[in-house]
Amino acid sequence: MIHIRQASDVDAAIIARLNRDVQQPHAEAYPWMFKHPDTGSFTAAEARAAMARDGFITFIAEIDGQAVGHAIAEERRRPETGRHYARAMMFIHEIVVAGDARRRGVGRTLIAAVGDYGRSVGIDLLALDTWQFNEGAQAFFKSCGLAPARIMLWNRVDGA
């Protein structure tokens, strides 16, 4: 059974450890952008700082009392402008499920927890972004009902 709870400061080391499972493939795909997890690139102190930001919420997923995943999300509220209507969304900055806990409903349960929290604060839109190389994540997010809404294109000015 998957148990979801809101993270606290004492979970910072757990979040930093779990982050390695998402940091590694990013570092392999874009080594000029993402640090390898062995560099100590994401520490408990940084996790604690991420959790402390205004409007952010972090959830921990546990199976049999062991932390197997987390999600860090932000309430984003934008006022109406001359070009856009007012809008609010829960933006998932990071979602991680440990390798041995994948395909057991942990990610889906974390996404549901963020959605439930959003609804509790009057937000009914959920968003996140993912990298083009991460086809598995894209397929998973689509299976959770998320759909592509925007494409970001880029190129380094030096052509590399």
Side-chain angles (χ1 to χ4, degrees):
M1 184 162 149
I2 302 164
H3 173 69
I4 302 292
R5 63 178 174 80
Q6 188 171 342
S8 67
D9 283 352
V10 298
D11 295 309
I14 292 168
I15 292 166
R17 176 181 48 81
L18 287 168
N19 177 267
R20 297 175 65 82
D21 280 356
V22 76
Q23 188 72 20
Q24 178 72 33
H26 288 77
E28 290 171 3
Y30 296 109
W32 56 270
M33 178 183 285
F34 293 101
K35 294 180 179 181
H36 191 276
D38 289 340
T39 65
S41 57
F42 189 69
T43 65
E46 288 174 303
R48 197 172 294 107
M51 289 189 295
R53 289 182 284 192
D54 285 341
F56 278 69
I57 187 159
T58 302
F59 293 102
I60 299 285
E62 297 175 327
I63 296 177
D64 296 328
Q66 296 294 322
V68 295
H70 73 269
I72 300 173
E74 174 189 12
E75 292 180 38
R76 288 187 176 173
R77 297 177 187 272
R78 304 292 188 255
E80 183 172 346
T81 68
R83 295 176 51 209
H84 296 277
Y85 293 107
R87 62 195 181 283
M89 70 173 67
M90 291 301 301
F91 186 85
I92 299 175
H93 285 277
E94 183 172 294
I95 183 167
V96 178
V97 177
D100 58 349
R102 291 185 182 153
R103 301 196 181 280
R104 296 175 63 186
V106 176
R108 196 171 298 277
T109 304
L110 283 164
I111 288 173
V114 174
D116 290 345
Y117 175 82
R119 281 187 294 282
S120 78
V121 295
I123 298 174
D124 62 2
L125 180 64
L126 183 67
L128 54 78
D129 58 23
T130 186
W131 291 92
Q132 183 67 31
F133 76 86
N134 201 342
E135 293 173 358
Q138 291 173 47
F140 168 70
F141 295 137
K142 287 177 184 176
S143 79
C144 291
L146 292 132
R150 178 171 81 172
I151 297 173
M152 184 171 86
L153 304 172
W154 65 354
N155 188 15
R156 293 174 59 139
V157 294
D158 61 5

